[in-house]
Amino acid sequence: MAADDNEFMAVAIALAAEAARNGEVPVGAIVVKDGAIIGRGSNRPIGAADPTAHAEIVALREAAAHLGNYRLAGCELFVTLEPCAMCVGAMLHARLERVVFGALDPKTGACGSVVDLPAVATLNHHARFEGGILADDCGALLKRFFAERR
């Protein structure tokens, strides 16, 4: 774990809280290059009427626009929830160096919870995937969100 991991995850948590305030599942993500945030995203599939508008995809799109390149070599992505299969696929296509996530997702997690896409040896790109960073804080936000809706 890098020294700044907790600080970057705290930014992602703030973006997740923003998603919750907008009635979206509270997931937040950022893309970092050379210690600077170049992409931010909060979940917005409901508001955008877009099933691909996950926080990770929003952050990847912003980072790619910032760099003028869909390949995000040397970049790291921080996200509050274990990514789904769609998001892992996008991360691999983007050629991220590292992905750091908070809470596990036992329903759609594609980094070991339901499936483990990063472990598929035949994929043409591999990034480092690390989970559990501020997992309790990330999970508490999700639990609170869903408890308020029940």
Side-chain angles (χ1 to χ4, degrees), residues 30-52:
I30 61 170
V31 176
V32 175
K33 183 167 180 70
D34 299 327
I37 298 171
I38 62 167
R40 297 172 188 262
S42 56
N43 241 13
R44 54 179 178 217
I46 297 167
D50 178 357
T52 70

Side-chain angles (χ1 to χ4, degrees), residues 123-147:
L123 291 172
N124 70 329
H125 176 75
H126 293 275
R128 287 190 343 253
F129 283 76
E130 302 170 22
I133 306 301
L134 297 182
D136 291 341
D137 295 335
C138 295
L141 193 57
L142 287 157
K143 286 176 187 164
R144 198 166 40 251
F145 177 81
F146 287 112

Side-chain angles (χ1 to χ4, degrees), residues 1 18 22-23 39 42 55 66-68 104 110 118-119 121 126 136 142 146 150:
M1 178 172 82
E18 177 184 310
N22 292 327
S42 56
H66 176 84
L67 295 178
L104 294 174
H126 293 275
D136 291 341
L142 287 157
F146 287 112
R150 290 188 182 119

Side-chain angles (χ1 to χ4, degrees), residues 33 67 69-76 94-97 125:
K33 183 167 180 70
L67 295 178
N69 192 338
Y70 77 96
R71 290 197 171 173
L72 303 177
C75 292
E76 300 174 301
R95 306 296 197 269
L96 291 173
E97 181 176 314
H125 176 75

Side-chain angles (χ1 to χ4, degrees), residues 1-147:
M1 178 172 82
D4 295 331
D5 285 359
N6 287 348
E7 292 174 35
F8 288 133
M9 188 60 77
V11 174
I13 289 170
L15 289 165
E18 177 184 310
R21 286 190 297 276
N22 292 327
E24 304 275 0
V25 174
V27 179
I30 61 170
V31 176
V32 175
K33 183 167 180 70
D34 299 327
I37 298 171
I38 62 167
R40 297 172 188 262
S42 56
N43 241 13
R44 54 179 178 217
I46 297 167
D50 178 357
T52 70
H54 289 195
E56 301 97 307
I57 301 297
V58 174
L60 287 170
R61 287 175 177 157
E62 188 173 293
H66 176 84
L67 295 178
N69 192 338
Y70 77 96
R71 290 197 171 173
L72 303 177
C75 292
E76 300 174 301
L77 185 141
F78 292 79
V79 60
T80 57
L81 183 64
E82 179 183 2
C84 70
M86 173 186 69
C87 291
V88 170
M91 292 168 189
L92 295 177
H93 284 292
R95 306 296 197 269
L96 291 173
E97 181 176 314
R98 180 172 174 247
V99 176
V100 178
F101 61 91
L104 294 174
D105 185 348
K107 295 187 179 196
T108 64
C111 299
S113 289
V114 176
V115 296
D116 195 355
L117 292 179
V120 176
T122 54
L123 291 172
N124 70 329
H125 176 75
H126 293 275
R128 287 190 343 253
F129 283 76
E130 302 170 22
I133 306 301
L134 297 182
D136 291 341
D137 295 335
C138 295
L141 193 57
L142 287 157
K143 286 176 187 164
R144 198 166 40 251
F145 177 81
F146 287 112

